[in-house]
Amino acid sequence: MKYLFCILGLLIFINFNSFSQDIAGSWKGDLKVMGQTIPLITHFEEVDGEWIGTMDSPNQGAMGIPMKKVLANQLMVSFEMSVMNASYEGVMQGDEIKGNFSQGGMKFPLDLKRVTSGELEELGPKRPQLPVGPFDYDVVEVGFENSSDNIKLAGTLTKPKGEGEFPAVILVTGSGPHNRDHEMVGHKPFWVMADYLTKNGIVVLRYDERGVGESNGDFSTANIEDLKNDVVSGIEFLKKHPSVNLEKIGVVGHSEGGLITWILGSEGHDLSFLVSLAGPVVPIKDLMTKQTEELVKVSGAPELLVKSETNKNRKIYQAVIDSKSDEEWKAALKPIFEASLKELNIPESQWPNAIIKSQEAYEHQLTPSMIYFLKINPENYIKEIDVPVFAGFGSKDLQVVASQNGNRLIELFEGKSDLLTLKVYDNLNHLFQTAKTGGTNEYGTIEESFNEKVLSDILEFIKKQ
């Protein structure tokens, strides 16, 4: 699920001591920011007399980020990355670099230690649920076309062996460009889900979103309606497949994919059931306001900052929704930023620079597809659904909060409650992993890719249809 508020980024400018030391190799450190721990791994090598390097942030799924330049000069070594304005200064002491990371006027300790190739391998994420062949079902590479947009989509069909017609589902990913496995921070939850369901008699279609992997098209210009039409093309593909039972075709959508699931259900498409996992139910502006509050709160921010960020984003979302043009909502941002800075007791001398940076950040994120998304009210679609629905939420989901969305879903199914199976899973986060806090920084550190109890419940629901 999309979330929109400014968090500390990872553009880094680092200084080390090279003296008679060799910085070639890998170095690891933990950046601690507002209660969060962000592991960083830097890699250096010398090529033709010049240092080059990359950086990994495994928990955020950012690997091999190239450094703009790396300079070694007596006691100091530096590198820059053109993402945000940040710096690190340190002193090498043997196989350790002690220093401080600075950004936005704040300074945080960050010590880096040299790691061997063996230790580096151990630092890699462990994903015990990742399917490993040989498989006792058929795995077929397939393609289908969204003829209205002239886009060819590539995917994988997993189906039980043998003849016969089986229940079938198409998997729909959450926000952002994703491949068929819904791959993120080393996890492949849709591959895990497809493996589990197909082992238990379900045909599963998963695909690369437009502009991703082997699918063509342009994801950056696509809105929810465009992505929904891609799913419709996949449903039509399933209807023509000889192994699919036409009376038992459904959609499984996660997060924004859950929203697309609601839209498809309201339109029909001969679907016999829907599975929405952490799918938004309340108006998106309300969902994202609550999301801001929960994510800033779990970061360890003081109450004043939590309140300020939440109020700021609430006003921005409403300004975007009410505006009739881009110029109108862009003009509305400055007074909102000023009110927030005043609320935080930031000296007025610092306002101009802070407002410029905030304006740039929000204008970059408020793309046409994001604005389209903000104006959606899922309730309008959910009211029209007349097929069985399985809706799952995690109690520690900070992006689609279970109480806010689950309770409203129950109200929307009043009078047709027999169609709704709703479950809230204790201690599961937005990705349906067992979590401690539910914060996004945990996603990459958790070994579980997708909770098996949820998979079991989805399977039971499908088999009942």
Side-chain angles (χ1 to χ4, degrees):
M1 176 50 53
K2 293 178 171 68
Y3 51 96
L4 180 64
F5 63 93
C6 296
I7 310 178
L8 186 69
L10 287 175
L11 169 74
I12 300 177
F13 166 13
I14 300 188
N15 291 316
F16 308 86
N17 168 14
S18 73
F19 200 53
S20 60
Q21 305 281 351
D22 183 1
I23 66 167
S26 300
W27 303 77
K28 178 185 181 296
D30 292 328
L31 179 66
K32 296 183 179 180
V33 181
M34 297 173 68
Q36 300 186 36
T37 300
I38 304 173
L40 300 177
I41 302 172
T42 58
H43 310 277
F44 301 98
E45 64 175 313
E46 192 174 14
V47 177
D48 297 330
E50 295 187 358
W51 288 104
I52 62 173
T54 60
M55 184 184 69
D56 303 334
S57 179
N59 289 7
Q60 297 177 318
M63 311 297 285
I65 306 168
M67 297 178 183
K68 184 178 179 181
K69 62 181 178 180
V70 182
L71 301 174
N73 181 14
Q74 295 181 341
L75 298 178
M76 309 295 287
V77 176
S78 66
F79 77 77
E80 299 177 1
M81 302 179 74
S82 301
V83 182
M84 292 180 69
N85 182 26
S87 65
Y88 173 94
E89 294 185 354
V91 177
M92 181 181 284
Q93 299 178 2
D95 285 333
E96 185 173 6
I97 302 161
K98 291 186 173 294
N100 292 298
F101 171 87
S102 300
Q103 184 175 37
M106 296 181 288
K107 185 176 290 187
F108 308 92
L110 176 61
D111 297 339
L112 298 168
K113 294 184 179 181
R114 189 188 295 275
V115 292
T116 65
S117 57
E119 292 171 329
L120 194 61
E121 187 173 339
E122 285 296 315
L123 290 173
K126 296 176 178 60
R127 304 293 182 247
Q129 289 178 287
L130 191 65
V132 178
F135 303 111
D136 58 358
Y137 51 79
D138 295 329
V139 180
V140 184
E141 301 306 305
V142 299
F144 53 94
E145 185 174 358
N146 176 343
S147 56
S148 61
D149 288 349
N150 194 29
I151 291 175
K152 292 183 179 179
L153 300 156
T156 301
L157 187 81
T158 51
K159 74 173 202 65
K161 287 187 177 295
E163 300 294 327
E165 296 180 345
F166 305 96
V169 295
I170 182 170
L171 307 185
V172 187
T173 63
S175 62
H178 290 289
N179 65 18
R180 65 194 72 186
D181 297 327
H182 207 328
E183 187 170 356
M184 65 186 84
V185 291
H187 290 288
K188 298 183 178 182
F190 274 17
W191 188 191
V192 172
M193 185 181 298
D195 175 73
Y196 183 91
L197 294 178
T198 306
K199 280 179 179 177
N200 288 280
I202 312 295
V203 173
V204 179
L205 173 63
R206 64 191 200 277
Y207 64 96
D208 298 333
E209 291 188 284
R210 57 169 71 191
V212 178
E214 298 176 22
S215 295
N216 58 28
D218 184 357
F219 184 89
S220 67
T221 61
N223 59 33
I224 289 283
E225 182 70 15
D226 299 321
L227 299 178
K228 183 264 296 184
N229 289 336
D230 290 343
V231 184
V232 172
S233 301
I235 294 170
E236 293 304 314
F237 171 84
L238 286 175
K239 289 179 182 178
K240 298 173 184 176
H241 199 283
S243 296
V244 171
N245 183 339
L246 296 179
E247 302 299 319
K248 293 188 176 183
I249 297 177
V251 177
V252 179
H254 174 255
S255 194
E256 184 178 270
L259 171 57
I260 292 174
T261 298
W262 299 139
I263 298 173
L264 292 165
S266 71
E267 294 176 348
H269 301 290
D270 300 317
L271 296 170
S272 58
F273 61 89
L274 307 171
V275 177
S276 176
L277 302 169
V281 176
V282 300
I284 298 302
K285 64 180 179 64
D286 297 336
L287 175 106
M288 292 185 64
T289 298
K290 183 65 174 175
Q291 185 183 101
T292 298
E293 178 184 2
E294 296 298 327
L295 287 170
V296 178
K297 187 185 299 181
V298 80
S299 74
E303 184 178 348
L304 178 62
L305 182 59
V306 174
K307 180 181 178 181
S308 177
E309 286 295 305
T310 303
N311 288 339
K312 179 179 69 177
N313 276 1
R314 179 187 293 111
K315 293 174 183 177
I316 290 173
Y317 301 150
Q318 194 61 54
V320 170
I321 292 170
D322 293 340
S323 297
K324 295 179 174 59
S325 67
D326 287 347
E327 291 71 25
E328 189 176 339
W329 67 256
K330 287 178 182 180
L333 294 185
K334 184 178 179 181
I336 295 174
F337 295 146
E338 289 177 343
S340 179
L341 291 168
K342 184 176 182 179
E343 188 176 23
L344 292 171
N345 298 314
I346 304 298
E348 287 192 40
S349 60
Q350 298 180 22
W351 287 16
N353 188 48
I355 290 172
I356 289 172
K357 289 185 176 181
S358 295
Q359 191 92 17
E360 290 175 349
Y362 276 86
E363 288 185 12
H364 176 73
Q365 294 180 70
L366 287 167
T367 61
S369 60
M370 183 66 185
I371 293 171
Y372 188 100
F373 176 75
L374 271 172
K375 295 181 178 182
I376 292 175
N377 184 351
E379 297 178 5
N380 296 332
Y381 304 106
I382 295 170
K383 292 174 182 177
E384 302 300 320
I385 293 172
D386 60 1
V387 296
V389 168
F390 178 96
F393 299 93
S395 70
K396 290 192 174 178
D397 186 344
L398 306 180
Q399 293 172 252
V400 180
V401 177
S403 57
Q404 181 189 42
N405 292 273
N407 289 336
R408 182 56 181 150
L409 190 61
I410 292 172
E411 294 173 352
L412 292 170
F413 271 84
E414 187 176 353
K416 51 179 181 179
S417 58
D418 57 313
L419 293 177
L420 177 63
T421 300
L422 187 151
K423 295 200 175 185
V424 177
Y425 295 91
D426 288 341
N427 299 317
L428 298 194
N429 62 17
H430 186 61
L431 303 187
F432 292 86
Q433 304 167 302
T434 304
K436 293 179 180 178
T437 69
T440 58
N441 63 304
E442 288 184 322
Y443 293 169
T445 66
I446 300 172
E447 293 187 5
E448 182 179 51
S449 293
F450 198 93
N451 184 265
E452 191 158 334
K453 170 59 177 170
V454 185
L455 292 174
S456 175
D457 287 346
I458 293 170
L459 175 66
E460 181 182 356
F461 170 78
I462 293 173
K463 284 189 171 290
K464 287 180 179 178
Q465 306 313 311

